[in-house]
Each structure stands twice: as structure tokens, then as C-alpha cells.
């Protein structure tokens, strides 16, 4: 299996404290991206770990979109201002990796997202477009 890797860096004007709260709090995600979910359940959570079950629409702009079901484990690292998240696709058994970190830059905060998605050799061949 091959992996597609995506890196995105976003700079925003906010305080590091607010940014970190939003990064670690999944409830904002449910509100801001509510059209993407059919179901979301918190399995367990504590200060450093959150485990979720959710069903997400592949094409959230279509009312009849196919649904993917995931179990997600999110490990929080408050001291490093980051988290790691692993997704298990319950249908395909593929595992996705996501890492998010924050650094303060002058009046801005830079948020780095790194996503690693498993793909077939055929899809990997067309990775550039």
C-alpha cells in the first residue's frame, strides 16, 4: 500500500491559548462541519486521549452521498501544542494518520496539518494531478 501525504500550514491572527483550545476541543468541529456528519459519538475521553466513532459523508454537498464509518483515536500533547490522530476506516480497514501542531509567530499563530492517506497503486500513480 502506498500513501499520499499532504502538508498544509495556515497562519491566523489569534491568541495561542484560543487556538489550542479549538485544536483540542472536538465540539467546534461538530458545529462548523455539521453537514459532513451523519453520526458522531464520543467513546471515551480524558485529558490526553479522545476516542470517537463517526459516520461522515464523502460528498457533504450531496444529500445522497455515500457514508464512511470511522473509529478515531486522538492523542493530545498540550506541552508540545499538538495532537496526533489515527483513523480506522471500518469498511476498508485502512488506517489514516493526521498530525496537527501550533507555533506562535509574532501576532500570528501558524497551524501545521499533516495528513497521510493510504491509496492503491493505481491512485498513487496519478498523485500529481
Amino acid at each position: 500500500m502506498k500513501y499520499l501525504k499532504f502538508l498544509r500550514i495556515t497562519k491566523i491572527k489569534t491568541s495561542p491559548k484560543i487556538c489550542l483550545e479549538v485544536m483540542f476541543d472536538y465540539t467546534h468541529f461538530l458545529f462548523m462541519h455539521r453537514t459532513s456528519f451523519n453520526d458522531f459519538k464520543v467513546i471515551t475521553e480524558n485529558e490526553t486521549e479522545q476516542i470517537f466513532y463517526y459516520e461522515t459523508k464523502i460528498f457533504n454537498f450531496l444529500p445522497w452521498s455515500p457514508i464512511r464509518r470511522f473509529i478515531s483515536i486522538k492523542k493530545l500533547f498540550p506541552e508540545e501544542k499538538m495532537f496526533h490522530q489515527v483513523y480506522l476506516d471500518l469498511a476498508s480497514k485502512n488506517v489514516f494518520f493526521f498530525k496537527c501542531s501550533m507555533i506562535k509567530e509574532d501576532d500570528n499563530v501558524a497551524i501545521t496539518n499533516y495528513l497521510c492517506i493510504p491509496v492503491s497503486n493505481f491512485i498513487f500513480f496519478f498523485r500529481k494531478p
Side-chain angles (χ1 to χ4, degrees):
M1 176 133 331
K2 305 246 187 220
Y3 289 87
L4 292 181
K5 298 173 183 176
F6 301 95
L7 178 67
R8 182 180 76 179
I9 300 172
T10 307
K11 293 183 180 183
I12 57 173
K13 281 193 180 287
T14 188
S15 74
K17 181 180 178 188
I18 291 172
C19 183
L20 200 60
E21 285 176 9
V22 171
M23 280 175 48
F24 290 172
D25 181 16
Y26 61 86
T27 58
H28 95 280
F29 189 71
L30 296 174
F31 175 74
M32 295 301 295
H33 306 284
R34 64 186 166 274
T35 60
S36 298
F37 295 99
N38 273 10
D39 192 12
F40 184 92
K41 291 183 176 54
V42 177
I43 297 172
T44 185
E45 76 175 306
N46 60 40
E47 290 179 3
T48 59
E49 184 177 77
Q50 301 168 341
I51 302 176
F52 313 115
Y53 165 81
Y54 66 94
E55 298 176 0
T56 186
K57 298 176 186 175
I58 294 173
F59 306 108
N60 65 338
F61 51 88
L62 296 174
W64 44 266
S65 173
I67 303 288
R68 301 292 294 261
R69 291 167 178 81
F70 293 94
I71 296 288
S72 173
I73 301 171
K74 184 176 182 180
K75 291 280 194 181
L76 309 176
F77 302 98
E79 309 81 34
E80 290 90 19
K81 297 178 177 58
M82 70 183 330
F83 70 82
H84 296 172
Q85 196 159 357
V86 177
Y87 302 86
L88 171 63
D89 184 326
L90 296 177
S92 69
K93 306 300 186 240
N94 286 335
V95 176
F96 302 72
F97 302 97
F98 181 68
K99 182 168 69 170
C100 182
S101 61
M102 177 200 76
I103 56 171
K104 182 172 176 7
E105 295 181 345
D106 300 324
D107 292 339
N108 296 323
V109 172
I111 302 168
T112 303
N113 293 312
Y114 175 75
L115 180 63
C116 188
I117 302 172
V119 294
S120 67
N121 290 338
F122 178 75
I123 298 290
F124 188 77
F125 182 74
F126 294 102
R127 68 189 175 274
K128 294 295 179 190

